[in-house]
Amino acid sequence: MTTTTSDTAADARSLFADRFGTEPAGTWSAPGRANLIGEHTDYNDGFVLPFAIQHRTHVALGTRADAVVRVVSTFDGDAVEVPLADLDALFPDRRDEVVEWARYPLGVAWALLAASGRNAVDLTGVDLAFASDVPVGAGLSSSAAIEGATASALAEVWALDLDRVALAQAGRRAENEAVGAPTGIMDQMASMLGRADAAIFLDCRSLDADVVDLGFDGAGLELLVIDTGVSHSHATGGYGERRASCELGASIMGVPALRDVTVDDLPRAAGLMDDVTFRRVRHIVTENQRVLDTVRTLRERGPAAIGDLLVASHASMRDDFEISVPELDTAVDAALASGAVGARMTGGGFGGAAIALVARARVETVTAAVTAAFAASGFSAPTIFTVTPSAGAARD
Ligand code: ADP
Ligand code: MG
């Protein structure tokens, strides 16, 4: 356990003691995640290769004599309290009555009750206090971290008979229906299933998940996150448009999802659709293939050999899917020019972060080069830090 992690667990415990006046029964935690490759493939029923990172959200939990759930976070001084029996009436229709952040943990409690078939009146009430060191809105999924921490804590104290995939599904349901954010299941699966020095190879159609060793440590590699600080809040329209293009492309090809189109089908696809739709399709189809190629390359040749796949992924998002921005291109170009093994934008696009795979000895050089390139372009300084592939949700 890193110092940061135990500090944040201690923060959750002291918030609990402060606000609730007793000691918690224990703390649980779940990580954020980074996506190594496989962007916008999740909602096309395709493949992704995320890994859990060392930044975690911790929750301190104590049981109560009544059947009430109460949540508090270092993000927000006000506790939110709801009888367990009322969750079903609250979500999804009356979710606006709950302050947004609290919809994540309360939504998870609601989704877990539904998934387990347990009756709220049979369950013990809980107090939950959250503290986190997952950066919010940097594309590292602080949302999956708070969902995963909640799900693993509640599943244990309520003795729910649900496996990790079911807990990930409850997190996704909370995010989609209780919060109202139309996201896939990649983040929750990575946060629940993560392993040290490994990625999760996820088939977003079947939800089959394989652990794939990354071997960054043994190869002397570090993964840098370059957070451009460019907000992607204006991205909603762009994200929806890309989803619509993918659906149009799949229907023209006569398949349920672009997952069912292969690289060999692309010449035929080109003749059937307009140029923009074709390029959107080509990104998804080639990106799915790149995930498969990355998994094979990691297994056969190790992590130093995946650089070209990362670079090709970035080019595809920049030129075909058109979701990059100048700051992301600058980050990738400067990282590669200063010796990164590979680099690409990560996340939904239109801002957010890039990742760069870098030999440990070159981390400082690459960091300095990217920072200098941002300054030379007149961009605000990026935030650059390393992430370590780490274990998934667990009791601390
Ligand atoms: P991200 O890319 O970080 O997942 P999201 O917008 O999906 O960004 O989720 C961020 C939101 O999740 C926050 O605005 C907040 O509502 C909620 N959240 C995440 N972590 C916490 C926390 N520790 N305490 C309270 N709310 C949190
Ligand atoms: Mg999120």
Side-chain angles (χ1 to χ4, degrees), residues 268-289:
R268 185 168 63 88
L272 294 174
M273 55 191 79
D274 66 273
D275 175 60
V276 170
T277 307
F278 174 65
R279 287 186 293 113
R280 305 300 188 245
V281 168
R282 183 165 61 188
H283 166 69
I284 300 299
V285 171
T286 57
E287 185 78 351
N288 268 325
Q289 187 59 48

Side-chain angles (χ1 to χ4, degrees), residues 226-285:
I226 304 160
D227 181 2
T228 64
V230 178
S231 148
H232 43 86
S233 57
H234 62 282
T236 325
Y239 185 84
E241 264 173 37
R242 297 307 181 280
R243 284 189 81 134
S245 291
C246 292
E247 279 163 30
L248 175 62
S251 81
I252 292 171
M253 295 302 286
V255 292
L258 289 180
R259 150 70 174 276
D260 303 301
V261 180
T262 67
V263 172
D264 290 342
D265 297 327
L266 285 174
R268 185 168 63 88
L272 294 174
M273 55 191 79
D274 66 273
D275 175 60
V276 170
T277 307
F278 174 65
R279 287 186 293 113
R280 305 300 188 245
V281 168
R282 183 165 61 188
H283 166 69
I284 300 299
V285 171

Side-chain angles (χ1 to χ4, degrees), residues 44-392:
N44 288 291
D45 275 4
F47 304 108
V48 292
L49 191 62
F51 60 89
I53 59 176
Q54 78 275 24
H55 301 89
R56 299 178 82 86
T57 296
H58 295 260
V59 60
L61 175 148
T63 55
R64 302 167 56 108
D66 57 5
V68 165
V69 53
R70 180 167 56 163
V71 295
V72 68
S73 166
T74 53
F75 285 29
D76 188 324
D78 294 329
V80 178
E81 195 174 308
V82 180
L84 287 169
D86 290 358
L87 289 172
D88 224 21
L90 211 50
F91 298 128
D93 296 346
R94 289 168 39 210
R95 65 179 181 226
D96 290 348
E97 293 173 24
V98 180
V99 59
E100 187 174 62
W101 81 265
R103 294 178 209 163
Y104 291 85
L106 296 176
V108 168
W110 164 72
L112 286 175
L113 286 178
S116 64
R118 296 279 293 277
N119 195 324
V121 297
D122 300 331
L123 296 171
T124 173
V126 283
D127 285 327
L128 303 169
F130 295 92
S132 179
D133 68 354
V134 185
V136 173
L140 296 173
S141 206
S142 66
S143 54
I146 189 172
E147 290 154 11
T150 308
S152 53
L154 292 181
E156 187 173 332
V157 291
W158 287 342
L160 304 179
D161 189 18
L162 297 172
D163 64 13
R164 283 177 173 262
V165 174
L167 299 186
Q169 284 170 316
R172 183 207 183 160
R173 186 165 184 220
E175 189 147 345
N176 291 169
E177 298 180 39
V179 178
T183 56
I185 200 171
M186 166 170 79
D187 299 357
Q188 293 83 4
M189 290 289 277
S191 185
M192 289 309 308
L193 300 175
R195 297 270 185 88
D197 216 15
I200 305 302
F201 171 39
L202 176 65
D203 179 334
C204 295
R205 174 171 279 169
S206 67
L207 295 190
D208 285 345
D210 271 349
V211 175
V212 179
D213 286 338
L214 287 171
F216 289 165
D217 214 21
L221 294 170
E222 297 279 357
L223 200 91
L224 287 184
V225 170
I226 304 160
D227 181 2
T228 64
V230 178
S231 148
H232 43 86
S233 57
H234 62 282
T236 325
Y239 185 84
E241 264 173 37
R242 297 307 181 280
R243 284 189 81 134
S245 291
C246 292
E247 279 163 30
L248 175 62
S251 81
I252 292 171
M253 295 302 286
V255 292
L258 289 180
R259 150 70 174 276
D260 303 301
V261 180
T262 67
V263 172
D264 290 342
D265 297 327
L266 285 174
R268 185 168 63 88
L272 294 174
M273 55 191 79
D274 66 273
D275 175 60
V276 170
T277 307
F278 174 65
R279 287 186 293 113
R280 305 300 188 245
V281 168
R282 183 165 61 188
H283 166 69
I284 300 299
V285 171
T286 57
E287 185 78 351
N288 268 325
Q289 187 59 48
R290 280 187 290 271
V291 176
L292 299 175
D293 292 346
T294 301
V295 169
R296 203 189 56 240
T297 303
L298 284 167
R299 286 177 172 151
E300 292 174 0
R301 296 165 57 206
I306 67 169
D308 290 349
L309 290 160
L310 301 181
V311 174
S313 171
H314 184 76
S316 179
M317 286 189 280
R318 182 189 60 210
D319 302 335
D320 275 355
F321 221 55
E322 296 181 282
I323 55 172
S324 191
V325 293
E327 288 85 348
L328 288 167
D329 293 338
T330 298
V332 168
D333 292 345
L336 293 172
S338 55
V341 170
R344 57 183 281 274
M345 55 153 286
T346 184
F350 308 102
I355 55 171
L357 189 60
V358 179
R360 195 164 292 139
R362 295 199 70 83
V363 165
E364 277 178 36
T365 312
V366 171
T367 301
V370 171
T371 305
F374 270 59
S377 302
F379 303 146
S380 325
T383 308
I384 305 177
F385 51 96
T386 58
V387 287
T388 311
S390 300

